[in-house]
Amino acid sequence: MATPKKVCIVGSGNWGSAIAKIVGANAAALPQFDSKVRMWVFEEEVGGRKLTEIINTEHENVKYLPGHKLPANVVAVADVVEASRGADILVFVVPHQFITRLCDQIAGHIAPGAIGISLIKGVDEGPEGLKLISNIIREKLGIDMSVLMGANIANEVADEKFCETTIGSKNRANGLLLKELMQTLNFRITVVEEADTVELCGALKNIVAVGAGFCDGLGFGDNTKAAVIRLGLMEMIAFAKLFCSGTVTSATFLESCGVADLITTCYGGRNRRVAEAFVVKGKSIEELEKEMLNGQKLQGPQTSAEVHRILSTKGLVDKFPLFTAIYQICYEGKPVKEFTKCMQSHPEHM
């Protein structure tokens, strides 16, 4: 029988810890995986103790996923090189700002023929414009990459409430192996081949969620919010068709990574919550991130800035009025009260 595959989770925040709960349990139960799962933890002190020590003795990430026991076979490691050494499967779940530096450290230490999966919802800018996080990892480490995106609020996944998710994998065999590692009775996975579209959905829906939060802060009600979600989805599809090199079909947007994740994030996610507070409290996005998120990063506003720079370079800003208005409100001092103007004059209504 083949040697069991070693798994490393790169990241241990709210979502990383929720996934560690699933991956740890599956790795312990299934013979194709090594039962010991190493999880890289950014070391910090919590109540005078190291977070890795707390996780390894109490099997709980008390800072980012309190109240949930992690399987005992999930071992927290503070050094990313040690955590990833000899890993056959790498699960990336860190804020996208850190991925380049982490890959530089990991390079050369993972197993030959290793594969990866990114759960990171964001995009980066490259010299050619848009750069997907999975492509950064693929180039840095020389490994085949898949992505996992869906309507997956971390605490609900950790509570084992039923939900669906999507794995995008250009290599179907790798996609199916990753599905075995991550699927449970209550965490149902569909594997699709349009990996770039799946990944873009995960990044772009956070911009739309900021718009939904503006609506809530302004007291606009459900009809307006539904319009933001629909117009946001149209801009997501248009953006994907412009920037994905492979096929983009509307069917992928009907998977969990598309419309389901968009709805969930526009009603429940942190981007919506902080954007609502931005309207109500009148503080900057940076201040609110520090105040409300307990060390977690906000992806929506930053993604809107990256997308705006790319659209500006291509002369396409006017074709994406919703994305543009959200960027201008977050970064250029555009009054949030003018938010509905971008919908009144949307190309969809011309």
Side-chain angles (χ1 to χ4, degrees), residues 49-123:
R49 293 172 68 196
K50 288 181 174 173
L51 185 55
T52 49
E53 182 202 326
I54 297 170
I55 293 170
N56 288 335
T57 52
E58 291 163 32
H59 307 297
E60 183 183 346
N61 188 335
V62 292
K63 177 159 185 185
Y64 295 110
L65 194 68
H68 290 280
K69 285 292 177 202
L70 297 176
N73 60 311
V74 173
V75 179
V77 181
D79 179 343
V80 74
V81 174
E82 187 192 332
S84 61
R85 196 183 304 283
D88 300 292
I89 298 175
L90 294 143
V91 180
F92 292 93
V93 54
V94 290
H96 77 277
Q97 301 90 313
F98 305 133
I99 198 63
T100 301
R101 184 165 48 87
L102 287 168
C103 285
D104 286 339
Q105 291 173 265
I106 289 169
H109 298 285
I110 57 180
I115 63 169
I117 184 164
S118 171
L119 281 61
I120 300 169
K121 295 183 173 178
V123 289

Side-chain angles (χ1 to χ4, degrees), residues 153 205-234 236 259-277 279 322 326 339-340 342-343 349:
I153 288 176
K205 55 96 196 187
N206 283 329
I207 305 178
V208 185
V210 172
F214 292 159
C215 279
D216 292 342
L218 293 161
F220 283 159
D222 286 338
N223 294 344
T224 313
K225 194 151 146 181
V228 168
I229 292 170
R230 189 189 77 81
L231 292 168
L233 180 62
M234 300 312 286
M236 284 168 63
V259 70
D261 195 9
L262 179 61
I263 292 166
T264 303
T265 312
C266 288
Y267 280 90
R270 67 181 85 149
N271 290 281
R272 187 217 63 80
R273 196 159 41 94
V274 173
E276 181 181 28
V279 179
L322 188 77
I326 291 162
F339 180 51
T340 49
C342 73
M343 294 187 278
H349 297 145

Side-chain angles (χ1 to χ4, degrees), residues 194-258:
E194 280 180 37
D196 292 355
T197 307
V198 171
E199 187 167 1
L200 262 185
C201 284
L204 298 176
K205 55 96 196 187
N206 283 329
I207 305 178
V208 185
V210 172
F214 292 159
C215 279
D216 292 342
L218 293 161
F220 283 159
D222 286 338
N223 294 344
T224 313
K225 194 151 146 181
V228 168
I229 292 170
R230 189 189 77 81
L231 292 168
L233 180 62
M234 300 312 286
E235 291 194 12
M236 284 168 63
I237 294 170
F239 192 92
K241 285 183 172 166
L242 273 173
F243 290 96
C244 285
S245 50
T247 317
V248 174
T249 57
S250 48
T252 303
F253 290 90
L254 297 175
E255 295 290 349
S256 183
C257 61

Side-chain angles (χ1 to χ4, degrees), residues 280-327:
V280 175
K281 296 184 178 178
K283 294 182 178 179
S284 75
I285 294 285
E286 290 76 15
E287 285 176 284
L288 292 165
E289 185 180 62
K290 286 195 182 81
E291 205 174 279
M292 297 173 68
L293 295 185
N294 188 30
Q296 294 178 93
K297 290 287 174 204
L298 199 65
Q299 301 292 355
Q302 191 168 349
T303 305
S304 81
E306 282 148 0
V307 163
H308 184 74
R309 281 192 285 271
I310 290 158
L311 292 173
S312 301
T313 313
K314 308 254 182 195
L316 293 168
V317 167
D318 295 347
K319 299 265 192 281
F320 294 86
L322 188 77
F323 286 178
T324 301
I326 291 162
Y327 163 74

